[in-house]
Amino acid sequence: MKRWEANVRKVVPYVPGEQPKETDIIKLNTNENPYPPSPMVLEALQNVKYEDLRLYPDPEISQLVHSIAADKGLDDNQVFVGVGSDDVLAMSFMTFFNSDKPVFFPDITYSFYDVWADLFHIKYETKALRDDFTIDVNDYKAPNGGIVIPNPNAPTGLEASSSAIESIIAANEDSIVIIDEAYVDFGARSVVSLIEKYDNLLVVQTFSKSRSMAGSRIGFAMGNAKLIKYLNDCKYSFNSYTMDRITMAVGQAAIEDVDYFNSTVADIISTREWVKDELDDLGFVFPDSSANFIFASHPDIAAAEIFEELKKRGIYVRYFNKPRIDNYLRITIGTDEQMGQLIEALKEIRSLKCHD
Ligand SMILES: *Cc1c(COP(=O)(O)O)cnc(C)c1O
């Protein structure tokens, strides 16, 4: 090892789901939305003035902040916008998690949290989910340097009740509680209304899943004005111009097309519900999902085998080779047609692997 390497910030990076180069595959591995963004996004793109790209964008992202605040019934100073919720969450870790006490999050959860904690040298402690993957709220009522919980949780898809989440927020007035609501729009309940009641609550959401905009990178946090100010102070000390002009324009169009949003979300929910029935018929077990994916396991066929067999058939799902979840597959909800093909492939794999 070179001597300068002693002073390098070393981290084991997060590994995102595969983005295969082939286009004729069924991609159910990164929880993207199978439907295109709103047609108003296309219109906004066509109206972008290319000559304006020579100018820096608005560092305050004011118009998009305003559109999001209006959609959520909040004031502009209660909303922070970042480049994907990954950016918002990373900024929040840096801003709010600076205690000597450890930050708490579930042992089975979004696998970026421990990476950010390591990156920013934040101590953390994971709290084991129960065997049925539910959260024990009492785990989060000990002294801590902050809390982050996704609701619905990833990769399980399970929703914790608003009262369970509120009891965690209420028990932690000395630290910031971040609720990562990346999947909340697929039928779960948001706790965003609680930001008026608790000044230690930050709710994070994204355009990547329910608004079909993963490629644009738009995420946002909602909290009281003081939290948002602290987030902005850190952001402006890091990079003032995080979001480009084109993204601001398409983001605004996406959030303003409420009808399109409601109808695509409803389509995904109804697809999810019939896929649950089909998986159940095939003998799969899974926690009841409130998200745009299902976390499924089969008692007779190893998840790793199903993963490989599906891949051979051009169907990509997500497999995590990690303790407690290494016999599960996280399957994103695609279109009815894609999910029909998935079910057919699973029937074939089952008859191949089960000789009963
Ligand atoms: C997808 C996801 C995110 C990040 O989404 P962005 O594309 O960065 O907005 C954050 N948290 C969870 C739990 C997710 O699944």
Side-chain angles (χ1 to χ4, degrees), residues 247-258:
T247 304
M248 287 180 201
V250 294
Q252 209 182 329
I255 194 119
E256 286 172 3
D257 195 348
V258 177

Side-chain angles (χ1 to χ4, degrees), residues 30-31 83-87 89 110 113 116 150 152 154 180 182-183 205-209 214 217-219 293 330:
T30 52
N31 295 345
V83 184
S85 55
D86 285 342
D87 177 52
L89 287 162
Y110 187 37
Y113 299 152
W116 288 316
D180 179 354
Y183 300 103
Q205 295 185 6
T206 176
F207 283 40
S208 295
K209 280 92 184 208
R217 315 305 302 126
I218 307 172
F293 57 85
R330 194 196 64 191

Side-chain angles (χ1 to χ4, degrees), residues 203-216:
V203 177
V204 178
Q205 295 185 6
T206 176
F207 283 40
S208 295
K209 280 92 184 208
S210 56
R211 293 180 200 275
S212 308
M213 301 279 280
S216 282

Side-chain angles (χ1 to χ4, degrees), residues 285-304:
V285 290
F286 45 89
D288 192 27
S289 170
S290 303
N292 68 335
F293 57 85
I294 297 172
F295 197 52
S297 179
H298 199 282
D300 306 321
I301 323 167

Side-chain angles (χ1 to χ4, degrees), residues 87-289:
D87 177 52
V88 174
L89 287 162
M91 198 58 69
S92 304
F93 272 51
M94 185 166 79
T95 307
F96 300 117
F97 295 164
N98 294 289
S99 164
D100 295 332
K101 297 183 198 122
V103 165
F104 293 169
F105 48 85
D107 63 337
I108 298 167
T109 196
Y110 187 37
S111 40
F112 223 137
Y113 299 152
D114 56 350
V115 176
W116 288 316
D118 289 338
L119 174 66
F120 296 126
H121 299 169
I122 298 164
K123 274 200 292 187
Y124 66 91
E125 231 173 79
T126 59
K127 300 290 174 185
L129 296 180
R130 297 192 187 99
D131 287 343
D132 63 359
F133 295 144
T134 55
I135 285 174
D136 184 346
V137 295
N138 294 316
D139 288 343
Y140 298 86
K141 295 178 180 174
N144 63 73
I147 290 172
V148 56
I149 296 176
N151 198 39
N153 196 7
T156 65
L158 258 187
E159 180 190 12
S161 71
S162 298
S163 58
I165 298 288
E166 180 167 6
S167 84
I168 293 173
I169 302 161
N172 286 285
E173 56 181 30
D174 295 338
S175 55
I176 301 299
V177 178
I178 301 176
I179 305 299
D180 179 354
E181 295 188 336
Y183 300 103
V184 78
D185 295 326
F186 300 104
R189 277 143 302 187
S190 173
V191 290
V192 69
S193 61
L194 296 180
I195 67 171
E196 306 288 351
K197 187 166 168 192
Y198 298 100
D199 65 2
N200 61 323
L201 169 63
L202 192 74
V203 177
V204 178
Q205 295 185 6
T206 176
F207 283 40
S208 295
K209 280 92 184 208
S210 56
R211 293 180 200 275
S212 308
M213 301 279 280
S216 282
R217 315 305 302 126
I218 307 172
F220 56 102
M222 297 166 286
N224 78 82
K226 200 166 177 180
L227 288 190
I228 299 306
K229 161 105 178 39
Y230 279 127
L231 269 174
N232 274 314
D233 287 348
C234 281
K235 171 197 140 167
Y236 295 128
S237 310
F238 193 77
N239 176 4
S240 321
Y241 305 108
T242 50
M243 183 169 284
D244 68 89
R245 287 171 169 270
I246 299 171
T247 304
M248 287 180 201
V250 294
Q252 209 182 329
I255 194 119
E256 286 172 3
D257 195 348
V258 177
D259 291 342
Y260 183 84
F261 166 75
N262 287 335
S263 91
T264 49
V265 161
D267 286 348
I268 288 170
I269 292 173
S270 82
T271 304
R272 177 186 73 206
E273 295 308 310
W274 76 252
V275 172
K276 283 180 188 173
D277 290 342
E278 294 284 335
L279 289 177
D280 189 49
D281 287 348
L282 287 170
F284 282 90
V285 290
F286 45 89
D288 192 27
S289 170

